[in-house]
Amino acid sequence: MKRIFNFSAGPAMLPQSVLEQAQAEMLDWNGSGMSVMEMSHRGHEYMSIAAEAEADLREIMGIPSNYKVLFLQGGASSQFAMIPQNLLRGKGTADYVDTGDWSDKAIMEAKRYGKVNVVASSKIGNYTSVPAFDTWTRDANAAYLHYTPNETIRGVEFGWIPETGDVPLVADMSSTILSRPLDVSKFGLIYAGAQKNIGPAGLTIVIVRDDLIGETLPGTPTMFDYKIHADNESMYNTPATYSWYLAGLVFKWIKQQGGLAGMATLNQRKAQKLYTAIETSGGFYHSPVAPDCRSWMNVPFILANAELDKSFLSEAAQQGLMTLKGHRLFGGMRASLYNAMPEAGVDTLVSFMQDFAKKNG
Ligand SMILES: Cc1ncc(COP(=O)(O)O)c(C=O)c1O
């Protein structure tokens, strides 16, 4: 069996022990004689899997009891519409922070449902920084404030949580959820597509304060109403059963790693190693992102000589270092270091980068 180090931005690596457990349980889950894939979502076996996954997520994130945890489908992209549909609640305006391509998509979608007030944007600087909070032009009557704590494409991450007072804070945590401890009570709503730090694609997690749901815009489809999903424990329709089960195995794995504090220590160390390699390369590699907002999860870097990009990628692939090509919007390289990327993957990448620079510098 061959396993590579996959630096993809998502779908991304899963912990090997999780895949092995899923493999062992594939044909017969816990003596049921069935694969989890074959179970009715309303049967007692599957209900126990679903409930345990939610309980474990609540435990590792410390989710307060007045928050609903929803296991939905449609990707984070559906949330770009569901959030205004559910959270505008009679208010015409929502605040949005624009720190990259994903923020921008969320803004474009929200504009279909109400007035969007872009409180700050780093577009002019090619989305390589986070605008200082004291420059934000917030609307005190906004229905909510939406931001993207980690912009996956350009690797820009907030090191702080905006203080928005009574205006509920909404966060697209697709590429940073579960990477470190978080005070959930500071948020009105957190959402994330699963395919980076949670599990396989097909599942989207929404954590929402219960007083914010139940008042949708007229015409909102039933499937886009958080209250419907909350009242039906995410089983109004058939959920993504297998992805939910695998997410549950990932939550147990996180617990074994020392929870989110353990993940944070590991993630910070992995990111530090890679940024140090970039910084100490004498200009052979550089990071385009402002130092105070460099992501732990997605590390873009540029080779000073772009003509070497092709050979960098092919020689890296020969060492099992895959999917390092930067996003088509940005170019260069990008290494995504989600929770399941082993530290050995980063060590191998760093030594490859050093050798490559020596050979070609
Ligand atoms: C920050 C962020 N938001 C939203 C999305 C879109 O997620 P999905 O493909 O689950 O709709 C992504 C996907 O990479 C992302 O990184």
Side-chain angles (χ1 to χ4, degrees):
M1 183 190 66
K2 175 181 128 199
R3 294 278 298 164
I4 56 156
F5 292 118
N6 177 9
F7 292 91
S8 166
M13 289 186 82
L14 287 164
Q16 186 160 324
S17 61
V18 164
L19 294 176
E20 284 164 352
Q21 186 175 344
Q23 182 183 43
E25 294 174 345
M26 175 61 77
L27 296 181
D28 176 11
W29 181 82
N30 205 21
S32 65
M34 285 182 277
S35 168
V36 175
M37 268 183 254
E38 301 169 305
M39 289 178 182
S40 161
H41 57 297
R42 305 201 190 279
H44 71 273
E45 287 102 343
Y46 190 77
M47 297 283 270
S48 73
I49 291 171
E52 199 164 320
E54 179 178 337
D56 283 335
L57 181 62
R58 283 186 177 276
E59 183 187 328
I60 54 184
M61 288 187 76
I63 301 173
S65 58
N66 63 325
Y67 284 73
K68 302 288 186 191
V69 178
L70 309 178
F71 291 79
L72 307 180
Q73 299 179 61
S77 302
S78 293
Q79 295 308 310
F80 296 161
M82 282 177 84
I83 287 158
Q85 286 174 329
N86 286 265
L87 263 50
L88 277 173
R89 294 171 303 135
K91 297 198 175 193
T93 305
D95 281 349
Y96 276 74
V97 190
D98 177 26
T99 51
D101 310 273
W102 291 111
S103 309
D104 193 41
K105 282 208 166 147
I107 289 168
M108 297 310 284
E109 190 69 10
K111 281 183 174 167
R112 299 166 54 125
Y113 302 99
K115 188 166 164 268
V116 168
N117 173 41
V118 177
V119 303
S121 174
S122 52
K123 193 169 191 166
I124 283 177
N126 207 19
Y127 290 133
T128 50
S129 63
V130 169
F133 186 61
D134 60 11
T135 65
W136 295 12
T137 53
R138 291 187 294 133
D139 179 341
N141 287 315
Y144 58 88
L145 182 140
H146 178 283
Y147 81 118
T148 310
N150 186 62
E151 283 282 358
T152 321
I153 294 177
R154 294 170 206 247
V156 171
E157 188 156 30
F158 281 68
W160 43 279
I161 297 174
E163 289 289 344
T164 52
D166 289 339
V167 174
L169 185 59
V170 174
D172 175 358
M173 293 219 172
S174 293
S175 48
T176 184
I177 193 165
L178 303 177
S179 67
R180 71 204 73 186
L182 183 75
D183 182 353
V184 174
S185 72
K186 289 191 181 297
F187 295 84
L189 187 149
I190 291 168
Y191 66 103
Q195 62 274 18
K196 302 162 198 297
N197 262 346
I198 296 172
L203 175 71
T204 311
I205 289 191
V206 174
I207 301 164
V208 59
R209 218 174 63 210
D210 57 12
D211 61 293
L212 297 176
I213 62 176
E215 196 185 330
T216 52
L217 292 181
T220 298
T222 309
M223 279 293 290
F224 272 34
D225 184 340
Y226 291 133
K227 182 88 168 41
I228 293 283
H229 292 294
D231 289 350
N232 290 278
E233 296 180 335
S234 305
M235 299 213 187
Y236 174 75
N237 74 322
T238 315
T241 50
Y242 199 74
S243 296
W244 189 336
Y245 150 77
L246 259 181
L249 298 185
V250 171
F251 301 153
K252 290 223 184 292
W253 174 81
I254 289 175
K255 281 165 70 169
Q256 289 156 9
Q257 312 306 304
L260 296 187
M263 294 307 342
T265 306
L266 178 65
N267 287 329
Q268 188 173 24
R269 200 166 61 225
K270 288 187 303 189
Q272 191 70 49
K273 283 183 173 179
L274 185 47
Y275 284 116
T276 302
I278 294 165
E279 289 299 306
T280 56
S281 69
F284 190 87
Y285 307 104
H286 73 272
S287 162
V289 179
D292 65 341
C293 52
R294 288 183 181 165
S295 170
W296 290 3
M297 295 282 101
N298 312 98
V299 182
F301 57 94
I302 313 277
L303 275 66
N305 178 1
E307 281 173 13
L308 292 171
D309 283 4
K310 257 202 178 135
S311 49
F312 180 93
L313 288 166
S314 70
E315 289 178 34
Q318 280 162 22
Q319 298 201 18
L321 302 165
M322 308 299 274
T323 339
L324 283 162
K325 194 170 192 295
H327 191 278
R328 65 197 142 75
L329 290 176
F330 205 38
M333 307 296 153
R334 174 180 51 174
S336 294
L337 313 179
Y338 299 121
N339 285 351
M341 169 58 65
E343 191 162 6
V346 179
D347 291 339
T348 310
L349 174 61
V350 164
S351 72
F352 165 73
M353 286 168 66
Q354 287 164 344
D355 288 350
F356 188 85
K358 226 181 269 159
K359 244 178 23 197
N360 296 284

